[in-house]
Amino acid sequence: MKKLIKNGTIVTSSDTYEADILIESGKVVQIGRNISEVDAEVVDATGKLILPGMIDEHTHIESPFGGTVTAPWKTESVAAAIGGTTTVVDFALQPKGKTLMDGVDRWKQRAEGSSAIDYGFHIGVTDLRDDVIEEIPTIVKEGIPTLKVFMAYKNDLMIDDATMYKTLAAAKDEGALVMVHCENGDLISLLQEKCIENNQTEPFYHAVSRPIEVETEATYRAISIAEIVGAPLFIVHVSGDEPAEVIRAAKAKGLPIYAETCPHYLLLTIDELKKPNFEGGKYVCSPPLREQRHIDALWNALKDGTIEAIGSDHCAFNFNGQKELGKDDFRKIPNGGNGIEHRLTLLHTHGVLEGKLSLNKMVDQLSTTPAKVMGLFPAKGTIAVGSDADIVLFDPSKQQTISQSTSHQGLDYDMFEGFETTGAPTDVFLRGKQIVKNGQFIGQLGDGQFVRRNAFGYCYDTIK
Ligand SMILES: [Zn+2]
């Protein structure tokens, strides 16, 4: 049956206006004033903002790491939906010694039938053999036009500069985009050993062993390699001032460099890692949380377009039984935090209501630009005739306090525990089907579909 959303205010990345939206067969088919359609279920959006479904381009769901595994699709996709996110692009990893497609198939099997929202995958390249380079065109044709490489995690995921060059060159030929974790893994390994030798085993030393310089250096090196290849590059989870400055300079040169930060780098400081009784372990993620000056710099970088996307880097490990693996050695703490559920409401509260971002810019950085960069636009990331009816009704005055006890994420703590927020999604539609009503999940696991994404997208505009 058709649906007609009436009396709301549509907010896209560029416009804010009052109009009705007619939905048929999962798509937006008409937008206009006073649409009357007798044959449609009417949804009243009085007093609500109507936003495109949020896109989270950076999640790690049901992902094995260090002998343990992150929270599963059945909880995290529901938490995402309630938070207004209708599509995630999750990180699959190439198993060592196997093909890229092996990695994608493993991740697809876990998501299929278990996800409440749409999903795509990036493929993390861990072992770039010649046959793997030859596999890149196939993987792109399968709808996976984004590859991820790691400059950190020595003796595990870390790749060398030559491998980065080869990955960028092969990706460029196919119109794919390389995403990079920028931290100098070799130096981190050395600094970690020094900490342990000095008996500095607590969570705080995770941050001490990963100073901003290791991120700044790797960011500069990654951009330099991309510049030599002439390829676009997406820098994930930028955590501070100097790396943002390096990105700003690269953009000023006209290089096709794109960058993301995450809610925790915008809202939490390094002091969280000092919490007693190993509580600091809850905040161990890489790059680490940093001082206030970096937070200020990141908000400025969002404002001036140096950073254009805000992904959650949701990578949820329980405190009990998982984070605790590193109780006596911070190197063994599984890296990652949460953010899939409250990304929109946190950015509305601390970005829009504090005057740091306009509503349109928030929509742009949480939905439209990620959709463009990830090859999902214009099916997703906007409200337009012909787009998927992935739609969020947002009550801009709804007050909430974030707490693990009321969260839908499948973990036993919340990095944002006690944060008071204003504004929350009330109703969410996925390709026209209502999956959240009055803040309650009413969809089904399996409503989500794998989304094939397009190559030669937005990031190739200036180099085609
Ligand atoms: Zn990540």
Side-chain angles (χ1 to χ4, degrees):
M1 194 186 183
K2 294 180 193 173
K3 283 193 180 74
L4 180 59
I5 303 177
K6 288 191 77 70
N7 309 320
T9 302
I10 297 174
V11 182
T12 67
S13 62
S14 56
D15 302 299
T16 305
Y17 60 103
E18 283 167 29
D20 303 339
I21 299 172
L22 185 65
I23 299 166
E24 188 178 3
S25 305
K27 303 268 185 197
V28 173
V29 294
Q30 195 183 343
I31 299 172
R33 288 275 168 94
N34 304 317
I35 299 175
S36 55
E37 182 81 30
V38 282
D39 199 19
E41 178 194 340
V42 174
V43 178
D44 182 25
T46 302
K48 307 271 175 72
L49 304 176
I50 307 175
L51 315 177
M54 299 296 127
I55 313 285
D56 195 339
E57 76 284 353
H58 193 153
T59 64
H60 303 269
I61 300 172
E62 217 162 325
S63 179
F65 180 91
T68 188
V69 62
T70 61
W73 285 94
K74 63 176 195 238
T75 48
E76 307 319 85
S77 66
V78 170
I82 288 170
T85 293
T86 48
T87 306
V88 292
V89 193
D90 197 72
F91 283 96
L93 275 180
Q94 174 196 13
K96 281 258 160 101
K98 307 272 182 168
T99 64
L100 299 175
M101 211 55 210
D102 269 322
V104 171
D105 286 343
R106 286 181 194 194
W107 258 258
K108 257 191 186 171
Q109 274 170 18
R110 289 194 280 261
E112 241 160 34
S114 299
S115 181
I117 57 168
D118 285 352
Y119 54 92
F121 296 105
H122 316 286
I123 181 69
V125 179
T126 60
D127 181 10
L128 193 78
R129 309 178 304 266
D130 287 348
D131 62 301
V132 171
I133 294 180
E134 284 164 23
E135 206 195 338
I136 290 175
T138 314
I139 208 112
V140 174
K141 279 190 198 80
E142 290 295 318
I144 297 168
T146 39
L147 307 165
K148 166 91 175 280
V149 293
F150 297 85
M151 298 169 88
Y153 305 117
K154 191 179 177 182
N155 299 326
D156 186 10
L157 300 169
M158 186 174 108
I159 60 157
D160 62 20
D161 295 348
T163 303
M164 172 112 95
Y165 180 102
K166 286 184 203 165
T167 307
L168 280 159
K172 188 189 174 190
D173 287 345
E174 302 305 320
L177 174 65
V178 174
M179 307 169 77
V180 58
H181 176 137
C182 295
E183 283 186 302
N184 184 321
D186 209 34
L187 271 177
I188 290 167
S189 178
L190 175 99
L191 295 171
Q192 285 180 331
E193 278 165 28
K194 282 180 69 146
C195 286
I196 298 296
E197 276 166 23
N198 294 329
N199 239 342
Q200 296 167 326
T201 60
E202 297 87 7
F204 180 69
Y205 294 97
H206 169 78
V208 172
S209 68
R210 312 177 91 96
I212 192 74
E213 289 80 3
V214 301
E215 184 180 342
T216 311
E217 183 278 328
T219 304
Y220 188 80
R221 182 155 42 103
I223 291 172
S224 302
I225 298 169
E227 189 176 5
I228 295 168
V229 176
L233 185 69
F234 186 90
I235 298 167
V236 297
H237 51 48
V238 177
S239 77
D241 187 8
E242 289 83 357
E245 199 53 54
V246 168
I247 293 162
R248 186 174 285 120
K251 288 189 166 190
K253 277 171 84 175
L255 299 177
I257 305 297
Y258 300 86
E260 167 206 74
T261 189
C262 315
H264 44 282
Y265 298 121
L266 293 165
L267 298 169
L268 300 170
T269 71
I270 190 171
D271 290 343
E272 307 286 352
L273 288 149
K274 295 176 185 160
K275 286 188 172 163
N277 305 320
F278 190 64
E279 295 273 322
K282 294 174 177 175
Y283 302 89
V284 165
C285 56
S286 295
L289 301 178
R290 303 201 187 276
E291 295 79 8
Q292 185 62 41
R293 75 172 180 94
H294 293 292
I295 292 182
D296 299 339
L298 290 174
W299 283 109
N300 283 333
L302 284 169
K303 258 190 220 169
D304 75 6
T306 298
I307 295 175
E308 57 261 284
I310 307 166
S312 69
D313 198 2
H314 183 78
C315 188
F317 296 103
N318 280 321
F319 183 64
N320 292 302
Q322 294 190 304
K323 289 284 186 179
E324 278 179 347
L325 294 168
K327 222 171 161 93
D328 302 318
D329 181 346
F330 69 84
R331 295 175 300 178
K332 299 196 176 108
I333 304 171
N335 283 203
N338 64 289
I340 203 167
E341 183 169 349
H342 300 113
R343 188 175 58 121
L344 170 59
T345 188
L346 283 168
L347 267 294
H348 182 260
T349 305
H350 294 283
V352 176
L353 298 181
E354 290 181 16
K356 293 174 184 143
L357 300 175
S358 68
L359 263 178
N360 306 95
K361 191 117 185 184
M362 179 189 76
V363 169
D364 188 42
Q365 292 174 336
L366 296 182
S367 180
T368 312
T369 290
K372 287 178 178 172
V373 173
M374 294 303 147
L376 290 159
F377 189 84
K380 299 191 183 291
T382 192
I383 297 174
V385 172
S387 292
D388 285 358
D390 294 347
I391 288 172
V392 175
L393 304 191
F394 188 86
D395 177 349
S397 57
K398 190 173 176 184
Q399 310 262 344
Q400 288 176 319
T401 303
I402 295 177
S403 169
Q404 184 274 333
S405 62
T406 50
S407 139
H408 300 83
Q409 298 161 126
L411 80 167
D412 62 4
Y413 74 98
D414 196 306
M415 281 172 116
F416 302 99
E417 184 76 33
F419 270 66
E420 290 179 1
T421 58
T422 303
T426 56
D427 302 85
V428 178
F429 300 82
L430 177 68
R431 285 176 277 103
K433 180 182 175 180
Q434 186 158 13
I435 58 170
V436 175
K437 191 171 188 176
N438 297 324
Q440 302 295 315
F441 181 67
I442 59 161
Q444 283 176 333
L445 298 179
D447 281 343
Q449 292 178 356
F450 171 70
V451 188
R452 285 171 180 274
R453 295 177 294 123
N454 304 315
F456 286 109
Y458 184 66
C459 52
Y460 278 86
D461 281 359
T462 56
I463 52 175
K464 249 184 251 181

